[in-house]
Amino acid sequence: MFNDIGPLELVTLIVLAVLVFGPDKLPKVIQDVTRTLRKIREFSESAKQDIRQELGPEFKDFEFEDLNPKTFIRKQLDNEDLGLKEIRNGFDLKKEMAEVADAVQGRESESSSGRVDMSKKPVVDMVKKPEGVARDERPPFDADAT
């Protein structure tokens, strides 16, 4: 519940509580707060049990945490029946990206030839310059396109 509160923040809250409620009333306030939290938890658990009973026996393994999309996806990806772990472990992203880059640049990949000849690097001009536009001329502008 208080996983993200640091020690300095906790001390500040305690000092603030002592200043606001005073040392005489503070134990009573803490008891009231813990009693209220306990009642809220009991209400929540009874509501969960009622929902599980209404859903029936088909949903006996239903967990409300599964309604969180991250938890649901993580649970489905870790499912052994689908065999996704073997697929994920057998996929080498660096190798696939290198093969795609080699194919785009027109080189043979290491897997197809056994080795890559680095002396045959094609030169790719990444800056395309318009042929007919002079240095002082502005390129055509289409006001409707913007």
Side-chain angles (χ1 to χ4, degrees), residues 36 43 68 85 135-136:
T36 304
F43 175 74
N68 183 352
K85 282 188 178 179
R135 207 168 184 59
D136 297 335

Side-chain angles (χ1 to χ4, degrees), residues 105-119:
Q105 293 177 357
R107 297 186 301 209
E108 287 188 29
S109 65
E110 291 180 22
S111 62
S112 62
S113 66
R115 63 180 181 88
V116 176
D117 187 11
M118 297 305 284
S119 64

Side-chain angles (χ1 to χ4, degrees), residues 15-128:
V15 169
L16 187 63
V18 169
L19 290 175
V20 170
F21 297 111
D24 298 335
K25 293 182 182 178
L26 190 59
K28 176 73 171 139
V29 170
I30 291 174
Q31 286 176 350
D32 291 343
V33 168
T34 55
R35 188 177 306 120
T36 304
L37 286 175
R38 193 174 300 124
K39 285 183 181 180
I40 290 172
R41 275 196 199 121
E42 289 172 3
F43 175 74
S44 171
E45 288 300 319
S46 68
K48 285 181 182 180
Q49 291 294 17
D50 290 344
I51 291 173
R52 282 190 182 112
Q53 288 176 355
E54 292 296 324
L55 287 175
E58 305 90 42
F59 295 98
K60 66 179 179 181
D61 296 332
F62 177 73
E63 294 294 329
F64 287 93
E65 289 80 20
D66 291 343
L67 297 176
N68 183 352
K70 283 184 179 180
T71 309
F72 179 77
I73 290 172
R74 187 176 298 124
K75 188 175 182 179
Q76 296 305 317
L77 288 178
D78 288 341
N79 191 352
E80 293 294 328
D81 297 338
L82 299 176
L84 293 177
K85 282 188 178 179
E86 291 84 21
I87 293 171
R88 188 172 44 207
N89 292 339
F91 183 69
D92 186 11
L93 185 61
K94 289 182 181 180
K95 180 180 173 188
E96 296 292 328
M97 291 301 293
E99 288 178 4
V100 170
D102 291 342
V104 168
Q105 293 177 357
R107 297 186 301 209
E108 287 188 29
S109 65
E110 291 180 22
S111 62
S112 62
S113 66
R115 63 180 181 88
V116 176
D117 187 11
M118 297 305 284
S119 64
K120 296 182 181 179
K121 277 189 176 178
V123 178
V124 178
D125 185 18
M126 298 299 284
V127 180
K128 293 187 177 184

Side-chain angles (χ1 to χ4, degrees), residues 4-23:
D4 58 345
I5 295 179
L8 183 61
E9 295 159 337
L10 188 61
V11 168
T12 305
L13 287 174
I14 292 171
V15 169
L16 187 63
V18 169
L19 290 175
V20 170
F21 297 111

